[in-house]
Amino acid sequence: MERFGIIHYCKTSNISLELRNLELNKLSALGSSFVLFETCLRKIYFYDTTRFDSTVGDLLCELQASQSNKNDNFDIFENQKAYQFILEVISGLKSNIKGETEIFGQFKLFYEQFKLKNLESSSFLDQVFSQLIQDCKFLREKHIKNWGSQSYGSLTRKLLDKQNPLLVIGKGQLAREMAPWLTQIPSKYLVVRDLQKKIDPEFQDFSQVLINDMSAISYSGRINLVIAAPLTHKELESFMKSLKDRGLAIHKVVDWRGGVELPINDESEIKKENYFHLSDIKNTLAESEETLNEKIKIVQIEISKMIEKFGKKVQLYPWGWDDICA
């Protein structure tokens, strides 16, 4: 626990493209001493505080300086605070939809892939990741599983109708998590950039169309759209123009991008009541915000107890004097 550190980078903060690229360049220079876990909204770099060189240490100091200057993009945590932050993330407490399940599924997949890599920090981080999954399972079983249907897929299915064909932009982890919930929609298209690349089994009942070529859609009329990729407004405007040129009219939009919203007004082709942004969708949950906040507090207290208990453990590693830690 005392050797565990993370750098958390928020993708959705409202900063200039130039500053964002500068920050991402700094993060890309961290190298193999750090292990990256990435979601649609976050980049989280894990590290063992005893295993990086002075160059990386200087870079870490730069990032800490950015944090001290109230740069909301970065959070740097170590030891118990790092463990608590990650546990709250994978438990769904920091998600826009509290208690959602997708982030935990993403982390378990990340852990399976991590175990296949031969990294210097593998032994220590492997132990921490394994404990995180064990603790998250406990929290979900004891506290979170009865919060209701907190799933991006389940909410998307509720918002859409079966009558109109569906276009899903994105084929990453979020889209894969949603795909099983959309099986009852008979006509579905996965929007991709390259038709030659193999798609995952979750999309086996989806037809593929290129993002800049809608000619593969043998249909004209109303369609529904799910945005599950971090497209810019400019990219979306170009895409929607290609739909219109093809004779397709967007009926409903479910926008999971977070942070940014399509500029919907009285003159837009899409009606306000048919545009569902992440910030709006979370308000459709059955639980009242007050009740949900009370449940979150209970889980956070449970997390504090778990960290205290875990922090008292002593692990002995026979091959190094610096591997005796609490």
Side-chain angles (χ1 to χ4, degrees), residues 214-232:
M214 296 290 106
S215 61
I217 301 179
S218 56
Y219 171 84
S220 60
R222 299 199 306 181
I223 54 98
N224 294 325
L225 178 64
V226 172
I227 307 171
L231 298 184
T232 64

Side-chain angles (χ1 to χ4, degrees), residues 57-158:
D58 292 341
L59 182 57
L60 193 60
C61 288
E62 286 186 34
L63 296 176
Q64 287 173 328
S66 296
Q67 185 186 33
S68 63
N69 290 330
K70 297 182 179 180
N71 185 335
D72 294 334
N73 291 359
F74 286 106
D75 292 300
I76 300 176
F77 301 112
E78 292 185 351
N79 308 325
Q80 284 86 354
K81 288 185 178 179
Y83 192 88
Q84 178 174 348
F85 180 86
I86 295 302
L87 189 52
E88 289 183 1
V89 167
I90 65 176
S91 298
L93 299 191
K94 292 189 176 296
S95 300
N96 285 287
I97 299 178
K98 305 303 180 186
E100 53 90 4
T101 59
E102 275 80 3
I103 190 73
F104 187 37
Q106 292 174 20
F107 187 78
K108 288 190 290 185
L109 178 61
F110 155 80
Y111 179 51
E112 291 301 317
Q113 295 171 341
F114 167 81
K115 289 190 292 186
L116 299 175
K117 299 176 182 178
N118 184 22
L119 302 172
E120 291 183 1
S121 56
S122 289
S123 178
F124 171 69
L125 290 180
D126 183 278
Q127 181 187 21
V128 176
F129 294 158
S130 176
Q131 187 68 45
L132 280 165
I133 288 176
Q134 179 180 326
D135 289 346
C136 187
K137 285 180 178 178
F138 173 81
L139 291 172
R140 297 200 69 85
E141 181 67 26
K142 184 176 180 180
H143 295 290
I144 303 175
K145 72 173 184 178
N146 294 321
W147 283 13
S149 183
Q150 314 296 320
S151 161
Y152 291 103
S154 63
L155 288 173
T156 300
R157 184 173 66 180
K158 291 175 184 177

Side-chain angles (χ1 to χ4, degrees), residues 107-296:
F107 187 78
K108 288 190 290 185
L109 178 61
F110 155 80
Y111 179 51
E112 291 301 317
Q113 295 171 341
F114 167 81
K115 289 190 292 186
L116 299 175
K117 299 176 182 178
N118 184 22
L119 302 172
E120 291 183 1
S121 56
S122 289
S123 178
F124 171 69
L125 290 180
D126 183 278
Q127 181 187 21
V128 176
F129 294 158
S130 176
Q131 187 68 45
L132 280 165
I133 288 176
Q134 179 180 326
D135 289 346
C136 187
K137 285 180 178 178
F138 173 81
L139 291 172
R140 297 200 69 85
E141 181 67 26
K142 184 176 180 180
H143 295 290
I144 303 175
K145 72 173 184 178
N146 294 321
W147 283 13
S149 183
Q150 314 296 320
S151 161
Y152 291 103
S154 63
L155 288 173
T156 300
R157 184 173 66 180
K158 291 175 184 177
L159 294 169
L160 297 175
D161 53 69
K162 303 176 187 177
Q163 292 74 32
N164 296 309
L166 171 65
L167 293 177
V168 176
I169 303 178
K171 58 177 182 177
Q173 182 66 27
L174 176 58
R176 291 196 298 271
E177 293 283 353
M178 285 193 295
W181 293 89
L182 306 175
T183 54
Q184 295 181 347
I185 299 176
S187 183
K188 300 183 291 293
Y189 296 87
L190 185 67
V191 181
V192 298
R193 297 186 186 276
D194 185 355
L195 291 176
Q196 303 303 317
K197 290 185 177 180
K198 183 180 179 181
I199 64 171
D200 294 286
E202 290 88 345
F203 304 117
Q204 60 184 355
D205 60 340
F206 284 72
S207 301
Q208 292 188 73
V209 295
L210 284 169
I211 192 168
N212 57 356
D213 183 5
M214 296 290 106
S215 61
I217 301 179
S218 56
Y219 171 84
S220 60
R222 299 199 306 181
I223 54 98
N224 294 325
L225 178 64
V226 172
I227 307 171
L231 298 184
T232 64
H233 284 333
K234 186 176 181 180
E235 289 175 311
L236 274 175
E237 286 174 0
S238 176
F239 174 71
M240 289 191 289
K241 183 179 183 303
S242 68
L243 293 179
K244 186 176 180 180
D245 293 343
R246 183 65 185 79
L248 297 167
I250 300 176
H251 178 47
K252 290 184 177 181
V253 177
V254 181
D255 188 349
W256 286 116
R257 290 177 299 164
V260 291
E261 297 185 35
L262 282 175
I264 303 296
N265 52 48
D266 293 337
E267 298 179 359
S268 303
E269 293 183 31
I270 305 169
K271 295 182 179 180
K272 290 182 179 180
E273 60 268 25
N274 287 336
Y275 176 69
F276 307 97
H277 184 260
L278 180 58
S279 58
D280 302 316
I281 295 170
K282 63 183 181 180
N283 294 326
T284 67
L285 301 178
E287 309 259 46
S288 70
E289 185 174 355
E290 183 177 354
T291 302
L292 192 57
N293 287 338
E294 288 300 317
K295 291 186 176 184
I296 290 173

Side-chain angles (χ1 to χ4, degrees), residues 10-72:
C10 177
K11 295 181 180 180
T12 60
S13 51
N14 187 22
I15 61 172
S16 68
L17 181 61
E18 181 180 3
L19 179 57
R20 184 180 297 278
N21 288 336
L22 180 64
E23 292 174 342
L24 291 175
N25 286 338
K26 287 183 180 180
L27 291 174
S28 65
L30 290 173
S32 59
S33 299
F34 293 73
V35 180
L36 172 62
F37 169 54
E38 186 170 6
T39 70
C40 291
L41 304 179
R42 312 173 189 275
K43 285 179 178 283
I44 300 174
Y45 295 81
F46 301 105
Y47 62 96
D48 179 343
T49 60
T50 67
R51 294 186 182 276
F52 52 75
D53 59 29
S54 58
T55 303
V56 174
D58 292 341
L59 182 57
L60 193 60
C61 288
E62 286 186 34
L63 296 176
Q64 287 173 328
S66 296
Q67 185 186 33
S68 63
N69 290 330
K70 297 182 179 180
N71 185 335
D72 294 334

